[in-house]
């Protein structure tokens, strides 16, 4: 397969999967909210459909598996926790700088508290799965397989940020997207499978989505300087902890052999 054909096929397959699953999920959310505004657990069934669909695509098109069996989970768990804390700290500090108010997900005024909380608990993990399979599983891993980890990482991070550039709040959230992109790209490149990246991405998303539901709107601009600086220091320490954890990750690369043959043709 020529480089041009390979690049075109890789980028189009990742974009098509991301757009298709995002559109399908958006429509299912709207449909579910309109017919079952007070039956929150029906949303779980919707998410299961999306998770199964994503896992099926991941198994066929990703150059790395969704789940593997690492030699030791401790450094990976440390990385997941550290990366999530770091991303949350970035979100809070840049929100403080840009005077952001964080509110609940917009799912309609007819949604009751139970449905709102359920949506906030299940939508972020689904978004994490779809995005990680698209940008890290299909795009990064296939490019990494053929051109090396640096090319795969840079393209993956740039396209991840670009995919969120349509949001009006991009300026106040750019740091968060870059932080998530770097964290998840690093763990996939180092570990060779997607689950840790999905967990880190999904955990950060869930915390940022659930807090406004439980505690009401969060006025980040009202944070005292001392608290904002403390959160920044915690984020830096979490980043350093994640870097240390990555050094001790010992996971054999378990790539997709069939795709490996394809991308090296």
């Amino acid at each position: 397969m020529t480089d041009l054909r390979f690049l075109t096929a890789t980028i189009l397959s990742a974009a098509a999967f991301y757009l298709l699953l995002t559109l399908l999920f958006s429509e299912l959310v709207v449909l579910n909210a309109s017919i079952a505004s007070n039956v929150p657990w029906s949303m779980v069934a919707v998410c299961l459909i999306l998770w199964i669909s994503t896992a099926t695509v991941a198994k066929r098109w990703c150059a790395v598996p969704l789940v593997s069996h690492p030699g030791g989970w401790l450094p990976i768990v440390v990385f997941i926790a550290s990366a999530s804390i770091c991303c949350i700290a970035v979100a809070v500090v840049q929100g403080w700088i840009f005077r952001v108010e964080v509110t609940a997900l917009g799912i309609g005024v007819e949604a009751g508290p139970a449905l709102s909380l359920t949506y906030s608990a299940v939508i972020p993990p689904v978004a994490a799965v779809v995005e990680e399979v698209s940008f890290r599983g299909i795009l990064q891993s296939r490019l990494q397989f053929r051109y090396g980890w640096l090319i795969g990482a840079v393209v993956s991070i740039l396209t991840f940020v670009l995919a969120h550039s349509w949001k009006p709040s991009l300026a106040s959230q750019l740091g968060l997207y870059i932080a998530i992109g770097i964290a998840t790209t690093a763990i996939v490149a180092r570990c060779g499978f997607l689950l840790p990246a999905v967990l880190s991405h999904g955990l950060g998303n869930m915390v940022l989505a659930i807090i406004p539901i439980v505690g009401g709107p969060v006025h980040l601009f009202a944070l005292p300087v001392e608290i904002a600086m403390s959160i920044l220091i915690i984020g830096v320490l979490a980043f350093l902890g994640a870097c240390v954890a990555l050094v001790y990750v010992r996971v054999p690369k378990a790539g997709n052999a069939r795709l490996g043959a394809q991308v090296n043709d």
Side-chain angles (χ1 to χ4, degrees):
M1 183 181 292
T2 65
D3 283 351
L4 181 59
R5 286 178 56 199
F6 173 76
L7 285 171
T8 303
T10 298
I11 293 173
L12 288 180
S13 59
F17 173 76
Y18 175 70
L19 293 174
L20 178 63
L21 266 293
T22 300
L23 178 62
L24 176 60
F25 186 62
S26 298
E27 293 302 318
L28 287 175
V29 167
V30 172
L31 177 63
N32 186 78
S34 64
I35 65 176
S37 60
N38 291 307
V39 188
W41 290 109
S42 61
M43 193 61 223
V44 176
V46 172
C47 290
L48 286 175
I49 295 173
L50 269 295
W51 278 331
I52 293 172
S53 303
T54 303
T56 301
V57 173
K59 185 176 181 180
R60 175 168 178 77
W61 290 106
C62 292
V64 292
L66 184 61
V67 181
S68 185
H69 301 285
W73 271 101
L74 180 59
I76 295 179
V77 171
V78 171
F79 177 85
I80 292 172
S82 300
S84 300
I85 293 171
C86 180
C87 291
I88 293 169
V90 169
V92 172
V93 172
Q94 71 179 357
W96 176 69
I97 293 173
F98 285 93
R99 301 183 63 81
V100 171
E101 179 183 60
V102 181
T103 57
L105 294 174
I107 57 175
V109 295
E110 74 281 357
L115 183 62
S116 298
L117 184 59
T118 304
Y119 271 38
S120 297
V122 298
I123 289 177
V126 170
V129 173
V130 171
E131 291 177 351
E132 292 310 312
V133 169
S134 302
F135 297 108
R136 258 61 73 177
I138 298 176
L139 188 59
Q140 174 190 337
S141 63
R142 289 171 71 97
L143 293 178
Q144 178 180 317
F145 219 112
R146 185 154 182 154
Y147 303 111
W149 71 268
L150 183 59
I151 296 297
V154 171
V155 174
S156 172
I157 294 169
L158 290 178
T159 52
F160 177 73
V161 173
L162 182 63
H164 294 83
S165 62
W166 58 271
K167 295 185 177 182
S169 57
L170 175 65
S172 62
Q173 297 181 349
L174 182 60
L176 174 62
Y177 299 139
I178 294 175
I180 292 175
I182 292 174
T184 53
T185 295
I187 194 64
V188 171
R190 187 73 177 87
C191 291
F193 68 111
L194 292 175
L195 182 60
V198 171
L199 293 176
S200 178
H201 190 164
L203 179 61
N205 281 358
M206 283 182 64
V207 171
L208 294 173
I210 290 177
I211 286 178
I213 289 287
V214 175
V218 180
H219 307 288
L220 293 177
F221 56 84
L223 284 177
V225 176
E226 295 80 4
I227 294 180
M229 291 300 101
S230 298
I231 293 174
L232 178 61
I233 293 172
I234 291 172
V236 171
L237 293 177
F239 173 76
L240 294 176
C243 292
V244 171
L246 279 181
V247 172
Y248 290 96
V249 170
R250 293 289 182 269
V251 181
K253 296 297 186 292
N256 187 320
R258 178 183 59 80
L259 283 178
Q262 285 183 11
V263 300
N264 287 298
D265 284 345

